[in-house]
Amino acid sequence: MLQELDHLMEEAGDVVFRLNGAGTLTFASRRATALIGRLAPLPGLPLARLVCDDDQAALSAALSATLATRLPQTVQVRIRAPETDVWHALRITCLTPSALAQAPAMLVVGRDLSEQQATEERLRHLATHDALTGLPNRLLLSDRIRMVIANARRSGQGFAVATIGLDGFKKVNDGLGHPAGDALLQMAAARLRKTLRDSDTLARVGGDEFVAILTGTHAEAQIKLVAGRLIAALQSPFEIDKHTIYVGASVGVSVYPEHAEDEVRLVALADAAMSRAKQTGKARCVIYSPTQAGPQQHDISLEAAMFQAVREGEFLLYYQPIVDAPGCEIQGFETLMRWKHPTLGMVPPVRFIPIAEANGLINLLGAWALKAACVQLRQFEEVAKRSLYISVNISPRQFRNDKFLGVLDEALAFSGLPGERLILEITEGTLMVDPVHAETILSRMAERGARIAIDDFGTGYSSLAYLKRFPISVLKIDRAFIRDLPASQKDGAICSTVLDLARHLDLSVVAEGVETAEQLGWLEQRGCQYIQGYLTGKPMPANVALAALRDSMHAKLVPHDIPTVSTASQQVAP
């Protein structure tokens, strides 16, 4: 009977044992014996002798619990084998005394966990390491930095975090394809890892960026030395698929605890310093300095507040008058976006516009502003009893958006505004990023009757060829050229040249930032048609603009301490 039972147990699991009440082997399956090899069990050998020392306590507890409760127990242990220890899940069952066994006995059936353990280990590795390079990823990097911070607090010794960004990596992907780019990243990772010490950590945090934790490195001389080696490691050519590729690297460094005391801020500041290195020549190292332009500490919270502001309707539009130079009568308004935060007050556009441009919210805000401005102009015209125009700034991201023309059509249709009473202001830089696309979009905008104004003219690209190529109607002279008039001969020469150029090209001109009567007089004498600035009106809410139009006395908008020019006859808007 026992022999039949033993034969059945051979197939019950990867390893099978029968034990007496003392935990001593009375039977072992052939597969168990083969696994253990030269440590083949003999009658009377305790099962505990077959498992690793660290697991013997857990096994003993499971055996005792099985005998005490007569309930099955499961325990994971490593069974000793000649080559390597093998994890098994052992299910221990108490055999009731019977004709087979007069004393308590236990059956142990084990399942090999090697494959499961290997799979779990692979998954753990994938969760904490970059699949392409095998380096730690951002998750493991954060954990490592926290560990180094803890050690630094105990020892009082600082350390550095370096962000390494490849220079010119995009050209590899664009020119040779992503497989070549992946190969280059793998080779770059190997070079960087070889350059660092074993005590340092190198991680890939995405794209072509790596982060290194330089333990014990905190003096500027040390940092410069290590950064120089990292840069040099990537300056040598890469040979990939018979192509010789040259890239470089820019390095940004932050230091604990001088710059920050938490892992998120340390990496953010190192990244800011790396961006600074790229902006100032590449292939160099920049150590973070608070005096340099870095990431704004409240950008993330401000971004969250912006989305809330959209839901709560905190954004509003202000309107700055654009007047004719001879009479200072309002001909139109430039639309300017404002954000009135319930606790921060009026948030400057210079703070929230770049964030909206970066996260795409500018498309939503821009569409709303365009539609609202067109509707508001109809109300302005009803009060003024004459035709006016509205000027709306178009951001680079809006201009590149495939849906922009649809947004323009919707704004014109919703408001019923004729296209010729809408001016869309675009910067030179926006147009020149992709001139072919710009020409197509501008032509379609012109087909709708909308006019195009070049904002901040003269501060962007030096080439004037686009004035002939694109359907442009208005040039807006940047306030930088107006500020020092009429005293500055150089600014005067520039403004005179722009006015003469516009006259020959049949373009209208608006001078921005006009703040004094002397500036106004100088511009009027040289034929500038339209003026915009604090002299003739600050940006104002719609109700204030309506009051000015209703009273037909624009002088009320001008500060009392600045001489005004009397109202003259109406002129056609630019």
Side-chain angles (χ1 to χ4, degrees):
M1 192 85 168
L2 271 173
Q3 291 178 346
E4 293 179 4
L5 180 60
D6 290 347
H7 179 72
L8 291 173
M9 288 194 299
E10 289 288 351
E11 304 301 325
D14 294 315
V15 295
V16 181
F17 306 102
R18 191 170 61 246
L19 312 177
N20 59 25
T24 301
L25 290 166
T26 60
F27 169 82
S29 66
R30 286 191 297 272
R31 277 187 284 183
T33 302
L35 171 68
I36 297 167
R38 61 184 177 83
L39 298 177
L42 299 173
L45 185 69
L47 178 61
R49 291 276 301 277
L50 304 182
V51 304
C52 292
D53 294 343
D54 292 343
D55 301 331
Q56 290 180 7
L59 175 63
S60 178
L63 292 173
S64 299
T66 301
L67 289 174
T69 64
R70 298 300 174 107
L71 296 175
Q73 303 290 322
T74 301
V75 62
Q76 292 188 9
V77 299
R78 285 160 291 182
I79 295 180
R80 291 171 170 167
E83 301 263 335
T84 183
D85 301 332
V86 182
W87 278 100
H88 280 75
L90 303 182
R91 180 177 174 80
I92 307 170
T93 306
C94 187
L95 297 174
T96 304
S98 65
L100 297 179
Q102 297 303 317
M106 290 172 284
L107 178 66
V108 180
V109 179
R111 178 169 58 88
D112 188 341
L113 297 178
S114 299
E115 187 173 341
Q116 177 181 326
Q117 291 281 348
T119 300
E120 291 176 356
E121 181 60 32
R122 284 195 297 271
L123 291 175
R124 282 193 294 269
H125 188 274
L126 287 173
T128 57
H129 288 75
D130 173 50
L132 178 64
T133 63
L135 294 175
N137 61 13
R138 191 180 294 275
L139 179 66
L140 184 55
L141 173 69
S142 294
D143 185 62
R144 294 275 179 87
I145 297 179
R146 286 193 292 268
M147 291 175 59
V148 177
I149 289 174
N151 291 333
R153 285 173 178 165
R154 288 193 295 269
S155 66
Q157 187 179 36
F159 68 94
V161 173
T163 297
I164 305 116
L166 301 186
D167 297 331
F169 176 72
K170 186 176 183 296
K171 68 184 180 184
V172 180
N173 276 341
D174 292 347
L176 301 178
H178 287 278
D182 290 347
L184 190 146
L185 288 172
Q186 290 172 328
M187 295 170 67
R191 290 187 188 182
L192 293 172
R193 179 64 269 178
K194 187 176 180 180
T195 303
L196 297 172
R197 302 166 300 179
D198 291 339
S199 58
D200 299 327
T201 293
L202 178 67
R204 181 181 176 226
V205 294
D208 60 355
E209 288 191 14
F210 301 85
V211 173
I213 310 172
L214 309 176
T215 56
T217 302
H218 55 89
E220 183 174 349
Q222 294 175 307
I223 292 171
K224 293 288 187 180
L225 179 63
V226 175
R229 290 172 179 170
L230 294 171
I231 293 171
L234 298 179
Q235 284 179 333
S236 300
F238 293 83
E239 300 293 339
I240 300 174
D241 294 336
K242 299 181 181 180
H243 295 282
T244 300
I245 302 171
Y246 287 88
V247 295
S250 298
V251 178
V253 180
S254 62
V255 180
Y256 172 93
E258 179 181 344
H259 298 142
E261 298 186 23
D262 67 276
E263 76 278 6
V264 174
R265 189 74 179 144
L266 282 167
V267 173
L269 295 183
D271 192 59
M274 187 268 290
S275 297
R276 176 74 174 169
K278 285 183 176 289
Q279 293 167 3
T280 55
K282 301 182 179 180
R284 60 192 300 263
C285 171
V286 169
I287 300 174
Y288 175 77
S289 170
T291 60
Q292 297 172 350
Q296 297 183 22
Q297 295 196 24
H298 303 293
D299 274 1
I300 294 177
S301 59
L302 195 67
E303 182 176 36
M306 286 177 63
F307 285 95
Q308 179 71 18
V310 172
R311 292 190 291 269
E312 299 296 330
E314 296 172 9
F315 287 98
L316 57 152
L317 297 180
Y318 272 40
Y319 301 89
Q320 185 169 29
I322 300 175
V323 307
D324 63 88
C328 288
E329 185 173 51
I330 298 174
Q331 301 300 314
F333 295 89
E334 178 180 353
T335 306
L336 301 167
M337 192 175 298
R338 295 291 186 265
W339 176 14
K340 189 175 183 180
H341 190 277
T343 57
L344 299 176
M346 297 299 285
V347 181
V350 70
R351 287 195 64 191
F352 71 82
I353 292 295
I355 299 174
E357 182 77 14
N359 64 21
L361 191 59
I362 195 69
N363 288 323
L364 175 63
L365 291 173
W368 162 76
L370 184 59
K371 182 183 293 186
C374 291
V375 172
Q376 184 62 61
L377 182 62
R378 301 308 300 265
Q379 189 177 11
F380 286 158
E381 290 181 328
E382 289 176 7
V383 170
K385 308 299 184 185
R386 57 191 174 90
S387 294
L388 300 169
Y389 77 91
I390 199 79
S391 186
V392 181
N393 291 280
I394 304 301
S395 81
R397 189 156 185 164
Q398 279 180 279
F399 187 72
R400 293 192 299 267
N401 192 298
D402 293 339
K403 298 180 180 179
F404 174 69
L405 290 174
V407 169
L408 175 59
D409 288 338
E410 185 178 350
L412 293 174
F414 182 79
S415 63
L417 188 73
E420 60 268 16
R421 298 223 278 278
L422 173 64
I423 291 183
L424 302 174
E425 296 191 18
I426 303 170
T427 64
E428 294 172 287
T430 300
L431 297 179
M432 301 309 293
V433 168
D434 186 350
V436 175
H437 172 265
E439 186 173 15
T440 301
I441 298 301
L442 292 178
S443 297
R444 293 179 180 176
M445 291 161 64
E447 290 172 0
R448 291 157 170 80
R451 288 174 289 169
I452 312 302
I454 300 300
D455 195 17
D456 301 335
F457 182 75
T459 62
Y461 287 78
S462 59
S463 172
L464 298 178
Y466 69 85
L467 293 178
K468 180 178 71 172
R469 179 175 182 179
F470 300 147
I472 294 166
S473 302
V474 182
L475 300 182
K476 301 194 74 174
I477 303 178
D478 186 72
R479 66 187 67 247
F481 303 122
I482 304 297
R483 185 185 305 117
D484 296 326
L485 290 179
S488 173
Q489 292 184 355
K490 291 183 178 180
D491 287 335
I494 292 172
C495 290
S496 295
T497 300
V498 172
L499 290 168
D500 189 54
L501 177 67
R503 189 162 41 251
H504 284 84
L505 295 176
D506 196 24
L507 302 176
S508 298
V509 177
V510 178
E512 297 182 290
V514 177
E515 298 183 357
T516 69
E518 289 78 15
Q519 292 170 345
L520 173 60
W522 189 94
L523 289 163
E524 183 183 358
Q525 288 175 9
R526 284 155 181 80
C528 183
Q529 304 107 311
Y530 304 103
I531 301 298
Q532 179 180 351
Y534 281 12
L535 176 68
T536 52
K538 295 181 178 181
M540 59 193 71
N543 64 311
V544 177
L546 284 167
L549 291 168
R550 186 178 295 113
D551 295 341
S552 296
M553 292 179 63
H554 184 58
K556 290 185 177 182
L557 300 175
V558 183
H560 295 301
D561 58 342
I562 299 179
T564 63
V565 181
S566 59
T567 302
S569 59
Q570 299 177 12
Q571 290 194 6
V572 179

